[in-house]
Amino acid sequence: MNKKALLFSLILAVLSVSLVLWSIREQNVNADQTDIGSLFFEETAKDGLNITKIKIKTQKMQATLYREDKFWHVKEADGYYAGLVITNSLFNTLNEAKIQSVIRKGITSDMQLAFPENKDTPSAGISIQTFNNSGAKINDVIIGAEDDGFYYARYADSSTPMLISGDFNLPERLDYWLQQPLITLSERSVETVITQSETEQQFAFRREPASPFYDLNQKEINISTFLEQFAALNFTSVKISENTPLKDALPKKAIVIFTESGLIYGIEVYEYETSYWVRINLSTTSLPTKLASDYIKDSSFLYKDWFFKIDDSIGKFLVQYNIH
């Protein structure tokens, strides 16, 4: 073969390879384009009614949500109930998140923090896995950093990043995934307060609605700072009673709060080592309003057989507080 023929063959081979590469690239581009606008959690959305477990993992925490008896629970919180607002927000995002663009250049250095090498231990971003009622994994994704209202994301078995829509500003504290707050009381709704410690019992009561509080000596008193603790009482941890030694302990203080609706909060405050826990019992007066009766019917399961760890400063305040 002469030099001219050899050169012609070489050029032809290069052109053939280029044509193949161009064809593959065009197929990939077309494939990428067809993904745009589609649901990022498409399989989860399709199988929505059969999704019974969602695992969310960040560098700081893991929350495993599972559905049982029509309610969502959090495995890492002794199976306590997941918050209604945060779970609804998550489900809406999973059902609505769409692919906005596919980034063909791959993961760059500025994206690396959002896409860890090991999907099981994300150094940044969020790992989300969904499972159906047979235990099969439906979606396994990594959500990265936010960029102008969208989020970098990829499927765990792929190195191709995308930009997707949705609200993935998810809590990185386990207690934020739980049904909160424990108690929401306004001062004006309270009629009577009784506290019982190891040494004494104290009272505060109103003679009529919206009037000041008085003690047993008919002296007008101000218990606003005490009632403020129950305006929105949250907890940082929760244990089912059988999993804590507190079930056999005596409370440091018992508090009973009577409300104008007829709802009664029985609050036991426990001191355990350096922390404070509460147990709450709901009941009603002999003639409760429908509101009070309905609240117990709909909410008592949130309290029965559970111990809740509260902020140390609040627990210490409640134990030491004296009505005067």
Side-chain angles (χ1 to χ4, degrees):
M1 181 180 293
N2 58 37
K3 290 183 178 179
K4 184 178 293 185
L6 182 62
L7 181 61
F8 178 78
S9 298
L10 181 61
I11 293 173
L12 185 62
V14 170
L15 288 175
S16 298
V17 170
S18 298
L19 182 62
V20 170
L21 292 176
W22 176 84
S23 176
I24 293 174
R25 186 183 64 183
E26 286 300 302
Q27 290 176 10
N28 288 338
V29 169
N30 290 335
D32 290 345
Q33 292 300 323
T34 60
D35 289 335
I36 294 175
S38 62
L39 294 174
F40 185 63
F41 290 88
E42 184 171 5
E43 292 80 7
T44 296
K46 287 180 179 178
D47 209 22
L49 294 178
N50 294 318
I51 298 299
T52 55
K53 185 170 75 171
I54 304 173
K55 184 182 292 186
I56 301 105
K57 184 184 291 187
T58 72
Q59 186 180 22
K60 297 180 180 179
M61 69 101 212
Q62 175 175 303
T64 306
L65 311 180
Y66 65 94
R67 182 159 54 90
E68 183 177 276
D69 299 330
K70 300 185 296 185
F71 293 100
W72 284 89
H73 305 255
V74 181
K75 176 183 176 182
E76 292 78 5
D78 254 14
Y80 191 68
Y81 299 91
L84 183 62
V85 173
I86 183 62
T87 50
N88 281 343
S89 176
L90 174 64
F91 300 150
N92 286 338
T93 294
L94 297 185
N95 287 326
E96 297 173 3
K98 292 184 178 180
I99 300 171
Q100 301 299 312
S101 65
V102 178
I103 305 170
R104 290 184 47 76
K105 61 184 178 181
I107 299 174
T108 59
S109 58
D110 61 327
M111 300 179 203
Q112 191 62 48
L113 285 177
F115 297 111
E117 293 181 5
N118 185 346
K119 63 181 174 59
D120 293 324
T121 55
S123 58
I126 306 169
S127 166
I128 301 178
Q129 299 174 330
T130 61
F131 303 81
N132 66 15
N133 50 16
S134 298
K137 188 183 296 182
I138 304 303
N139 272 127
D140 189 356
V141 308
I142 303 291
I143 308 297
E146 184 180 2
D147 185 0
D148 196 24
F150 299 102
Y151 286 83
Y152 287 110
R154 67 177 172 85
Y155 296 108
D157 59 357
S158 170
S159 60
T160 302
M162 308 174 184
L163 277 176
I164 65 171
S165 62
D167 181 9
F168 292 95
N169 185 25
L170 302 176
E172 290 198 67
R173 281 180 48 173
L174 184 64
D175 54 309
Y176 286 4
W177 286 95
L178 307 176
Q179 181 61 38
Q180 301 266 16
L182 269 178
I183 298 176
T184 53
L185 274 179
S186 65
E187 181 177 344
R188 64 189 305 172
S189 69
V190 176
E191 289 187 339
T192 304
V193 174
I194 304 173
T195 67
Q196 177 72 58
S197 64
E198 295 175 346
T199 57
E200 63 179 330
Q201 188 177 72
Q202 298 178 338
F203 290 83
F205 66 95
R206 281 188 165 121
R207 293 172 177 168
E208 57 186 34
S211 71
F213 283 96
Y214 294 86
D215 62 17
L216 286 179
N217 297 318
Q218 303 297 316
K219 177 184 176 182
E220 185 176 324
I221 55 176
N222 186 339
I223 61 171
S224 292
T225 55
F226 174 78
L227 293 177
E228 282 173 3
Q229 311 306 313
F230 304 104
L233 181 64
N234 289 315
F235 59 96
T236 57
S237 184
V238 57
K239 291 287 185 183
I240 197 164
S241 59
E242 63 187 37
N243 290 341
T244 170
L246 293 173
K247 66 181 185 296
D248 300 319
L250 294 175
K252 292 289 289 186
K253 195 163 212 174
I255 301 166
V256 183
I257 301 176
F258 296 79
T259 67
E260 60 185 6
S261 69
L263 182 63
I264 304 172
Y265 288 91
I267 305 161
E268 297 174 340
V269 187
Y270 295 81
E271 187 175 357
Y272 181 68
E273 296 178 345
T274 59
S275 61
Y276 293 88
W277 296 70
V278 296
R279 181 164 63 174
I280 299 172
N281 296 296
L282 300 180
S283 59
T284 63
T285 58
S286 56
L287 294 173
T289 63
K290 185 177 185 301
L291 178 65
S293 298
D294 288 346
Y295 185 80
I296 287 185
K297 179 181 177 181
D298 297 336
S299 306
S300 59
F301 67 93
L302 294 172
Y303 304 97
K304 183 177 174 57
D305 298 326
W306 295 99
F307 282 83
F308 304 90
K309 185 178 183 294
I310 60 175
D311 184 86
D312 291 346
S313 62
I314 295 176
K316 186 175 182 180
F317 174 85
L318 294 177
V319 166
Q320 296 181 349
Y321 184 82
N322 288 307
I323 294 176
H324 55 75

